[in-house]
Amino acid sequence: MSVIFQTWPWYVSGFLIGMVMLSLIYFGKNFGMSTNLQSLCSMTGLGKRIEYFDFDWKANRWNLLVVLGAMAGGFVAVHFMSDPSNVDINPKTIAQLAQMGIDAPNGKLMPQALFGEQVWQSPKSILILLVGGVLIGFGTRYAGGCTSGHAISGLSNLQLPSLKAVIGFFIGGLIMAHFLLPLLF
Amino acid sequence: MNVLKYFFVGFLFGIVLTKSEAVSWYRIYEMFQFQSFHMYGIIGVAVATGVIGIQIIKRYNIKDIDGLPIEIQEKPKDNARYWIGGISFGLGWALVGSCPGPIFILIGAGFMPVIIVLIGALIGTVIYGALKSKLPH
């Protein structure tokens, strides 16, 4: 049973994520998480003012159900399937993070420095999380997909546009991780 | 079962992404520092599984659950949107460590500060929607 509580190996996880995508294709749908951002905006009635949100979001309700399921899955995995051995990252990574004042995982998924309850009192932390979110929302909708829509679904269907997007993801990610994060922390 | 199947697929997705730690800020940082194979292995095997599955679907003309032919949409053959949008998403991904799926998974798991990321993502979506006609694609 202990294998369930440990970090799931990449080959098991990757295979299951591939099967999640294939299941949705078999259901006549597609695998894309960032579309839900567009649906959530459309639900507020923004479609009356902005054409991009003027579509029948109810046709995407199935995807919002996937999101609800994913939220429940996250809850179950964190509360009932965790183990102190989790998030065993490279010691070099931990040392680098320490230099920036970011705490080591010690079994937890998210650093306190960015996601602890104290962020609600820190305008800087709130701004970082907000700006990160804006970049994610703007970028994924501009590119027409995120890790699920482009990196997994698009590359699986051998789409050249998705390869461009994924290379873009990595250019942005490398710039942030190597040059900008050290300036922020 | 008709709609519940979507919930169950999402449930599996949430568990796998959490237990593989693909939702972890640490794993994303470690990936962009090239200090672990873990994330590359996950994405690589997911794509390999997908490529094989989609090839099987195409070769054997497999029908979907309702008996309809499976058509997988091609991505528009644009350029600028993939580079600019892609880089923008990459910057955000490495900053807050989550892509859209994990944003929801982490909120479900109880990491409340991620709600700020979600609010930001919705604002970013509105900005794109408002500027869409003026942006190069």
Side-chain angles (χ1 to χ4, degrees):
Chain A
M1 275 303 280
S2 73
V3 288
I4 297 227
F5 298 92
Q6 288 161 8
T7 302
W8 289 11
W10 51 266
Y11 43 89
V12 174
S13 312
F15 174 73
L16 290 172
I17 293 169
M19 292 310 290
V20 162
M21 183 202 70
L22 291 171
S23 306
L24 290 174
I25 290 179
Y26 177 64
F27 295 157
K29 311 294 183 196
N30 50 39
F31 182 40
M33 284 293 126
S34 63
T35 312
N36 293 303
L37 297 172
Q38 189 187 2
S39 299
L40 287 175
C41 291
S42 181
M43 281 168 78
T44 64
L46 261 176
K48 292 191 191 91
R49 301 173 64 178
I50 302 174
E51 196 194 342
Y52 182 64
F53 301 109
D54 187 15
F55 69 101
D56 179 23
W57 64 266
K58 287 184 180 157
N60 286 340
R61 265 186 301 199
W62 65 270
N63 211 344
L64 296 170
L65 273 171
V66 176
V67 167
L68 274 185
M71 293 176 78
F75 181 84
V76 169
V78 164
H79 292 273
F80 305 109
M81 299 165 72
S82 288
D83 186 88
S85 70
N86 293 164
V87 202
D88 184 19
I89 59 172
N90 192 328
K92 275 191 224 155
T93 313
I94 294 178
Q96 275 180 15
L97 290 172
Q99 281 184 351
M100 296 196 289
I102 295 175
D103 46 303
N106 294 320
K108 61 189 186 331
L109 280 172
M110 310 294 275
Q112 282 293 316
L114 274 117
F115 297 95
E117 288 301 318
Q118 85 288 348
V119 302
W120 299 106
Q121 271 93 53
S122 159
K124 183 191 165 189
S125 302
I126 291 176
L127 197 66
I128 286 177
L129 296 181
L130 199 66
V131 168
V134 170
L135 288 165
I136 292 167
F138 176 80
T140 55
R141 292 294 74 215
Y142 195 177
C146 57
T147 330
S148 52
H150 277 309
I152 313 284
S153 307
L155 292 186
S156 290
N157 196 25
L158 310 174
Q159 297 288 299
L160 185 63
S162 293
L163 185 62
K164 293 176 191 169
V166 172
I167 294 171
F169 299 168
F170 271 85
I171 295 172
L174 291 173
I175 293 172
M176 178 56 69
H178 289 266
F179 303 113
L180 302 179
L181 270 181
L183 299 177
L184 290 168
F185 290 96
Chain B
M1 186 57 203
N2 233 348
V3 291
L4 267 183
K5 62 180 183 284
Y6 297 115
F7 183 86
F8 283 120
V9 167
F11 187 71
L12 175 68
F13 180 58
I15 288 192
V16 175
L17 251 67
T18 308
K19 286 312 298 168
S20 66
E21 296 160 4
V23 300
S24 167
W25 185 93
Y26 291 110
R27 288 291 184 193
I28 306 302
Y29 180 82
E30 185 190 41
M31 168 179 80
F32 284 126
Q33 298 292 335
F34 301 109
Q35 285 166 338
S36 169
F37 177 73
H38 187 72
M39 287 300 305
Y40 296 100
I42 293 175
I43 298 171
V45 172
V47 172
T49 307
V51 167
I52 294 169
I54 289 178
Q55 287 306 315
I56 291 174
I57 289 171
K58 286 184 174 171
R59 298 252 167 106
Y60 298 94
N61 282 319
I62 292 175
K63 303 277 188 283
D64 72 11
I65 197 166
D66 302 314
L68 299 167
I70 291 177
E71 282 176 42
I72 305 168
Q73 272 190 350
E74 306 268 310
K75 306 278 180 193
K77 295 208 172 6
D78 298 333
N79 250 317
R81 67 182 305 174
Y82 299 119
W83 297 115
I84 308 170
I87 289 172
S88 162
F89 166 51
L91 288 167
W93 190 18
L95 179 58
V96 295
S98 27
C99 27
I103 289 177
F104 295 109
I105 295 171
L106 288 166
I107 293 173
F111 294 95
M112 288 307 142
V114 182
I115 289 175
I116 305 171
V117 181
L118 177 62
I119 293 170
L122 293 172
I123 295 172
T125 304
V126 174
I127 294 174
Y128 171 68
L131 298 179
K132 189 181 178 205
S133 59
K134 299 186 184 72
L135 293 168
H137 279 81

